[in-house]
């Protein structure tokens, strides 16, 4: 399988891959480092592995060359509404139903927000922030509050590591209390699934997490 780049109606670039006879669509939101070869490959890999049509929108359109420290410094002003619009447009671009949403790190946070729109039948958030970190808080609401207001937490599978400071136990427990399903990986740190080059990567846990997500999306 391979992927190709397209441009959404909003002007945001996205990577897309379709398995022949795909059984569902998946919008996959990258981490804070954005759409890059890692995600071009990941889109193609999971599309082929699970018979999905997968699309990954760029979470920082127009800012692709911006260094990560600069992105981190402006997260209190991040355009969450633009990301949601791009997720909805990406779902439409797949021209298949049903469509699920997933994402990693800040993309996992975006997936939780997207689950609150009601557009997606399933959500799998890989170590997505359930409440905004202190230095990311601006005018945006917490994903936890969005899900509570929408009543769609039961569509969520949260994949978290117990050693991840971005998903503190109190936040994870609160999400679970809303009705989400939580897969906890003991001792895993932030980003342990999606990037084999990260020191935090845990291959066996990553394989198990993807198997859980595939079963969640097939249920």
């Amino acid at each position: 399988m391979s992927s190709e780049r397209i441009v959404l109606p909003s002007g945001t670039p996205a990577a897309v891959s379709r398995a022949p006879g795909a059984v569902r669509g998946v919008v996959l939101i990258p981490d804070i480092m954005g759409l890059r070869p890692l995600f071009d490959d990941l889109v193609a890999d999971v599309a082929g592995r699970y018979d999905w049509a997968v699309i990954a929108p760029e979470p920082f359109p127009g800012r692709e060359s911006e260094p990560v420290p600069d992105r981190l410094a402006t997260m209190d002003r991040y355009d969450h509404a633009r990301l949601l619009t791009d997720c909805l447009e990406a779902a439409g671009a797949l021209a298949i139903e049903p469509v699920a949403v997933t994402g990693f790190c800040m993309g996992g946070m975006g997936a939780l927000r997207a689950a609150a729109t009601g557009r997606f039948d399933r959500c799998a958030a890989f170590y997505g922030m359930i409440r905004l970190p202190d230095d990311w808080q601006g005018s945006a609401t917490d994903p936890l509050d969005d899900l509570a207001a929408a009543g769609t937490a039961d569509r969520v599978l949260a994949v978290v590591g117990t050693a991840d400071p971005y998903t503190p136990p109190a936040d994870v427990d609160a999400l679970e209390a809303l009705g989400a399903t939580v897969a906890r990986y003991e001792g895993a740190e932030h980003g342990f699934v999606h990037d084999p080059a990260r020191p935090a990567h845990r291959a066996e846990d990553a394989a198990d997490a993807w198997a859980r997500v595939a079963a969640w999306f097939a249920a």
Side-chain angles (χ1 to χ4, degrees):
M1 293 287 296
S2 61
S3 64
E4 63 175 333
R5 291 291 184 100
I6 65 169
V7 178
L8 300 175
S10 65
T12 296
V16 63
S17 183
R18 300 172 185 271
V23 297
R24 72 149 50 250
V26 177
V27 173
L28 187 155
I29 311 173
D31 58 22
I32 198 166
M33 288 178 276
L35 186 60
R36 57 195 190 279
L38 171 70
F39 283 96
D40 291 289
D41 293 342
L42 184 59
V43 161
D45 176 52
V46 297
R49 198 187 326 164
Y50 301 116
D51 292 329
W52 295 340
V54 185
I55 186 167
E58 167 60 60
F60 290 88
R63 300 168 61 186
E64 287 89 344
S65 62
E66 186 177 57
V68 171
D70 292 350
R71 295 180 180 187
L72 285 167
T74 60
M75 284 305 296
D76 61 334
R77 302 183 294 280
Y78 183 75
D79 193 348
H80 298 279
R82 169 68 183 266
L83 180 61
L84 284 180
T85 295
D86 286 339
C87 287
L88 296 174
E89 289 187 358
L94 292 175
I96 189 174
E97 297 293 339
V99 184
V101 63
T102 189
F104 304 88
C105 309
M106 70 152 283
M109 179 177 69
L112 293 174
R113 291 188 187 282
T117 67
R119 170 65 178 88
F120 303 95
D121 72 317
R122 291 277 171 164
C123 168
F126 288 89
Y127 27 84
M129 298 75 172
I130 299 160
R131 293 188 175 102
L132 288 163
D134 289 344
D135 54 354
W136 291 20
Q137 291 183 2
S139 60
T141 55
D142 286 329
L144 183 71
D145 294 336
D146 295 344
L147 287 166
T152 53
D154 61 337
R155 304 183 186 189
V156 172
L157 170 65
V159 175
V160 300
T162 62
D164 184 351
Y166 288 103
T167 53
D171 291 1
V172 177
D173 291 347
L175 180 63
E176 193 170 38
L178 273 185
T181 298
V182 176
R184 294 175 176 84
Y185 289 84
E186 189 64 35
E189 300 176 358
H190 191 68
F192 69 95
V193 173
H194 70 289
D195 186 353
R198 294 174 70 112
H201 185 70
R202 292 165 57 140
E204 289 187 9
D205 286 344
D208 183 80
W210 273 114
R212 287 175 183 251
V213 170
W216 184 250
F217 287 176

